[in-house]
Amino acid sequence: MGAAGTQTVDTSSRLDALRKLMQNPEFDVTALVIPSEDQHSSEYIAACDERRAFISGFNGSAGTAIVTLKDAFLFTDGRYFLQAEKQLDQNWTLMKQGLPVTDVPTWQEFLYKKLEKNSRIGIDPTLISAVDAESLETSLKGQDSHLVSLNQNIVDLVWKDRPSRPAHKVFPLDVKYSGESHDDKIRRLREELQKKNYKAFVVNMLDEVAWLFNLRGSDIDYNPVFFAYAVVTSDKVVLFVNPAQVDDTVRGHLVNSVEIAPYDQFFKYLRGLGAELNLSKGSALLLGDKCSLAVAEAIGRENIVISRSPVADMKAIKNETEVEGFRQSHIRDGVALARYFAWLEEQLNNGVTLNESEAADKLEDYRKELDLFKGLSFPTISATGPNGAIIHYQPDPVDCATIRKDQIYLCDTGAQFLDGTTDVTRTWHFGTPTAEEKRSFTRVLQGHIAIDTGVLPNGTTGIDSWARRPLWEDGIGTTTDPSTRHGTGHGVGHFLNVHEGPQGIGVRITYNNTALKSGMTVSNEPGYYEDGKYGIRIENVVVVREAKTPNNFGNKGFLKFERVTMCPIHKNLVDASLLSAAEREWLDAYHAEVFEKVSPLLKNDARALAWLKRETSPL
């Protein structure tokens, strides 16, 4: 997901002002690292934290900028190459990571391989993880270069009209949706800490704070989170949040088990925590591996252990209430999708001119009529023709393409409901697709089916190749090929961030270090992207479930996937001659399931019901 624009921003004056500050004796740095993330390592951030977007003009959700006294570099991965090429001006060099033929270094490697010796590299310590900082410091020693923690963010000093930090009301999530009280979650967390003799844990990720306390907010668009930290010890829990965001309902929800302290007092509290808890290497405080350098320095590096957050692991495994919420929210979402695609097809057949943004707005209107709807889970990717190859494309309402019947149309969209989060992609052709388009679509469909029907032993990682094999059989879509630069799947939160870690399906190290477990939710979204022509993606959300197999070798246990997304897959783009009998049977069975679950909710929309019946009929 992510909001992709196409407008170029002139960054000349911004960079000039930034470089003057870099040379100011107060800072005295020869290079500056500007990450995408905020102080909570969030993927999606509030407007006030969009520093990298401000300084570079590139507003994709992933990327790091490095500014030296003479040059400026933007590092990003294949999902954003096309977007970055359109948005960056002449001041910037795009560093395309992940393409081995170009031998582009990571931004970390760039600092110690490409910069001059004795470089002073400035960084806001709240915006870099302690893990990355330690690794960088080690690598820089060979160049006699140093990482400099700045007490002010220099970009903020340049950004004169920087928005203020959001402070929207926080609200409790009823246990009928969460399935577990916050007291029970805290108890389980303490048990994990006690097993490993940790004195405390700092919760720094916003979705982890929201999940742990069964609270939600709206400080970041599309993500029901709020700005907060928490510290959990054996006998105390402190939630650091702006007091203006907390009312009596929230205080009553937390009762007497959680202390509430001002958000801006967090670092002061940390500086006294070592003495208060008598921390030492043998009896340390645990930090998650995405916690910032600033947090580690405030507590004292000698007093901490850094590892994967236990809250992340707990949150990733959904309880049965949450799983049922996923099922029901996706069925309701299927109603809006059916109504939308039926409407869109009718409009195009009637010769109505619609641009990508107008279409996306109509889909949101249909969703607003659904029970428990709380907003979109990311900006809708409504992309026609070549725009579909821009993976995280978002149409500009003022200047975007008209949807055409003779082009592929890709729609990647999702919603937030009190009982679940949805994320679905469907690819359509409202005219007559070419043989190439049908073949590419069918190969993607076969990869999707391979994941959906897969059975795997507990502890398995690295199933990404299952989805890519049909593409490989046509000689396309290697893991570094731009045509398949999108990962196969990501974790999905429960009425939380649509991108949830640590689980996923792909080639990222994190995904392959994280075994799938029963209760996890992930997307199944293989794709194929032909630059300048079209994009194809088929995405369902699936729940990892225990599988009953005839045997159970080594008592390991086996897993399967339960699909919860309920939306037809476009048969007009299927080349049936490429499908096996089992694949045809899968498609027909899926469509029968979609019709059975969604059609009862479409009784008041004859157009959508007729469309659904046609689109879910046997191949």
Side-chain angles (χ1 to χ4, degrees):
M1 297 344 97
T6 57
Q7 305 302 312
T8 302
V9 176
D10 184 353
T11 62
S12 300
S13 60
R14 299 174 186 181
L15 288 171
D16 287 345
L18 188 71
R19 289 179 174 129
K20 286 179 182 177
L21 285 171
M22 290 167 63
Q23 296 174 79
N24 187 307
E26 181 183 354
F27 304 112
D28 187 23
V29 293
T30 53
L32 184 68
V33 178
I34 308 157
S36 299
E37 296 81 7
D38 62 11
Q39 64 270 37
H40 298 274
S41 193
S42 306
E43 178 184 5
Y44 296 106
I45 55 179
C48 61
D49 293 317
E50 293 178 352
R51 299 177 177 92
R52 191 225 53 224
F54 166 79
I55 203 65
S56 70
F58 166 69
N59 68 351
S61 63
T64 299
I66 295 177
V67 177
T68 69
L69 297 178
K70 293 182 179 180
D71 301 298
F73 304 88
L74 189 285
F75 296 77
T76 193
D77 61 54
R79 296 171 295 168
Y80 299 97
F81 291 164
L82 295 181
Q83 178 187 345
E85 286 169 349
K86 290 183 177 183
Q87 291 185 320
L88 295 176
D89 70 3
Q90 75 284 354
N91 292 297
W92 290 85
T93 299
L94 174 59
M95 307 295 281
K96 296 182 177 181
Q97 294 181 263
L99 297 181
V101 291
T102 58
D103 195 29
V104 173
T106 64
W107 68 265
Q108 295 95 332
E109 291 170 338
F110 181 88
L111 294 176
Y112 58 84
K113 289 184 176 180
K114 302 297 183 180
L115 294 186
E116 296 179 357
K117 287 190 173 185
N118 298 302
S119 291
R120 286 174 52 82
I121 301 161
I123 186 73
D124 180 338
T126 69
L127 304 183
I128 186 172
S129 74
V131 173
D132 275 348
E134 183 175 1
S135 175
L136 263 179
E137 286 167 344
T138 300
S139 300
L140 290 169
K141 284 180 181 177
Q143 294 292 101
D144 292 323
S145 295
H146 303 280
L147 207 58
V148 179
S149 289
L150 303 173
N151 58 14
Q152 280 184 291
N153 191 296
I154 305 180
V155 175
D156 292 352
L157 300 178
V158 174
W159 194 357
K160 300 302 182 184
D161 58 348
R162 180 176 170 234
S164 58
R165 185 162 300 285
H168 303 304
K169 289 294 183 183
V170 176
F171 61 93
L173 181 65
D174 196 294
V175 73
K176 71 180 179 182
Y177 301 121
S178 68
E180 183 181 19
S181 71
H182 67 278
D183 286 329
D184 285 342
K185 292 177 180 180
I186 292 168
R187 175 186 51 77
R188 286 202 289 135
L189 173 59
R190 282 176 167 149
E191 288 173 357
E192 290 299 313
L193 298 177
Q194 189 174 14
K195 286 178 188 176
K196 299 178 180 178
N197 196 33
Y198 294 130
K199 286 287 191 73
F201 178 64
V202 173
V203 191
N204 69 293
M205 301 292 288
L206 299 184
D207 62 333
E208 293 182 19
V209 173
W211 178 86
L212 185 63
F213 295 101
N214 284 345
L215 295 172
R216 298 294 189 269
S218 57
D219 284 351
I220 296 180
D221 290 344
Y222 311 105
N223 298 265
V225 296
F226 55 98
F227 285 103
Y229 292 98
V231 177
V232 179
T233 71
S234 60
D235 59 1
K236 186 165 67 172
V237 181
V238 185
L239 175 65
F240 295 87
V241 61
N242 183 339
Q245 296 181 252
V246 177
D247 60 17
D248 289 342
T249 303
V250 173
R251 295 180 187 278
H253 167 76
L254 298 175
V255 197
N256 298 318
S257 59
V258 178
E259 295 180 26
I260 297 175
Y263 181 78
D264 58 12
Q265 293 297 305
F266 172 66
F267 283 99
K268 180 180 179 182
Y269 180 85
L270 291 186
R271 285 189 282 272
L273 203 53
E276 179 183 332
L277 297 178
N278 194 25
L279 297 176
S280 64
K281 268 297 179 188
S283 186
L285 178 146
L286 177 64
L287 293 182
D289 54 11
K290 293 186 177 181
C291 219
S292 72
L293 173 62
V295 171
E297 289 179 337
I299 299 168
R301 295 200 196 188
E302 69 281 2
N303 294 325
I304 61 173
V305 171
I306 298 176
S307 185
R308 195 162 78 197
S309 165
V311 177
D313 289 332
M314 292 164 60
K315 176 171 57 66
I317 299 175
K318 311 301 184 290
N319 59 49
E320 288 306 310
T321 299
E322 292 172 314
V323 170
E324 183 59 23
F326 268 100
R327 294 188 187 112
Q328 296 305 318
S329 59
H330 278 81
I331 291 171
R332 293 195 305 277
D333 206 40
V335 171
L337 292 166
R339 296 183 69 192
Y340 169 64
F341 289 123
W343 169 84
L344 180 59
E345 179 184 83
E346 182 180 83
Q347 298 300 299
L348 296 177
N349 286 340
N350 290 339
V352 176
T353 299
L354 285 169
N355 67 34
E356 298 161 321
S357 179
E358 290 169 335
D361 290 344
K362 185 67 173 180
L363 174 53
E364 184 174 2
D365 288 341
Y366 283 129
R367 280 195 168 117
K368 287 177 179 177
E369 299 178 25
L370 300 175
D371 290 342
L372 309 183
F373 176 74
K374 300 298 287 184
L376 299 182
S377 57
F378 57 95
T380 293
I381 300 170
S382 173
T384 189
N387 289 338
I390 304 174
I391 293 172
H392 284 184
Y393 172 81
Q394 183 192 354
D396 183 338
V398 179
D399 180 22
C400 63
T402 297
I403 299 174
R404 291 167 42 179
K405 286 187 66 175
D406 62 347
Q407 290 183 329
I408 280 181
Y409 173 69
L410 184 150
C411 184
D412 186 346
T413 183
Q416 297 285 6
F417 299 91
L418 287 173
D419 57 347
T421 299
T422 70
D423 183 3
V424 52
T425 307
R426 288 296 184 263
T427 306
W428 302 91
H429 199 299
F430 299 103
T432 304
T434 66
E436 175 197 333
E437 290 169 338
K438 293 182 72 170
R439 187 176 186 92
S440 297
F441 181 90
T442 305
R443 290 308 193 195
V444 172
L445 173 60
Q446 289 173 309
H448 180 93
I449 294 171
I451 295 291
D452 185 274
T453 58
V455 176
L456 56 150
N458 267 308
T460 300
T461 63
I463 64 172
D464 179 78
S465 60
W466 297 3
R468 299 183 190 271
R469 179 180 171 180
L471 291 163
W472 291 348
E473 289 177 357
D474 275 8
I476 55 177
T478 66
T479 53
T480 55
D481 183 344
S483 65
T484 54
R485 60 178 74 98
H486 194 286
T488 298
H490 56 82
V492 181
H494 177 265
F495 185 34
L496 273 175
N497 298 358
V498 73
H499 285 176
E500 176 182 80
Q503 75 276 21
I505 302 170
V507 296
R508 295 183 190 179
I509 293 174
T510 303
Y511 289 168
N512 291 312
N513 285 343
T514 305
L516 295 175
K517 296 179 181 179
S518 181
M520 287 181 170
T521 43
V522 293
S523 65
N524 171 13
E525 52 178 313
Y528 178 76
Y529 309 93
E530 191 68 46
D531 287 353
K533 295 174 69 176
Y534 59 82
I536 294 168
R537 187 159 64 250
I538 303 171
E539 177 184 18
N540 284 354
V541 171
V542 297
V543 185
V544 184
R545 309 300 279 167
E546 293 181 1
K548 293 181 180 179
T549 53
N551 301 290
N552 185 15
F553 182 76
N555 276 334
K556 197 173 183 70
F558 287 78
L559 301 170
K560 62 179 181 179
F561 297 105
E562 175 193 344
R563 57 185 178 254
V564 293
T565 302
M566 292 293 132
C567 181
I569 293 169
H570 198 33
K571 293 178 296 181
N572 189 40
L573 276 164
V574 175
D575 181 345
S577 69
L578 295 175
L579 297 180
S580 68
E583 288 166 338
R584 291 177 65 112
E585 183 179 336
W586 181 93
L587 186 59
D588 288 345
Y590 175 65
H591 280 154
E593 181 185 8
V594 171
F595 186 79
E596 177 187 357
K597 292 180 176 178
V598 176
S599 62
L601 302 178
L602 285 173
K603 292 178 180 178
N604 295 325
D605 191 329
R607 175 180 58 198
L609 185 58
W611 177 90
L612 184 69
K613 186 174 183 178
R614 186 194 74 212
E615 290 295 325
T616 58
S617 63
L619 187 63

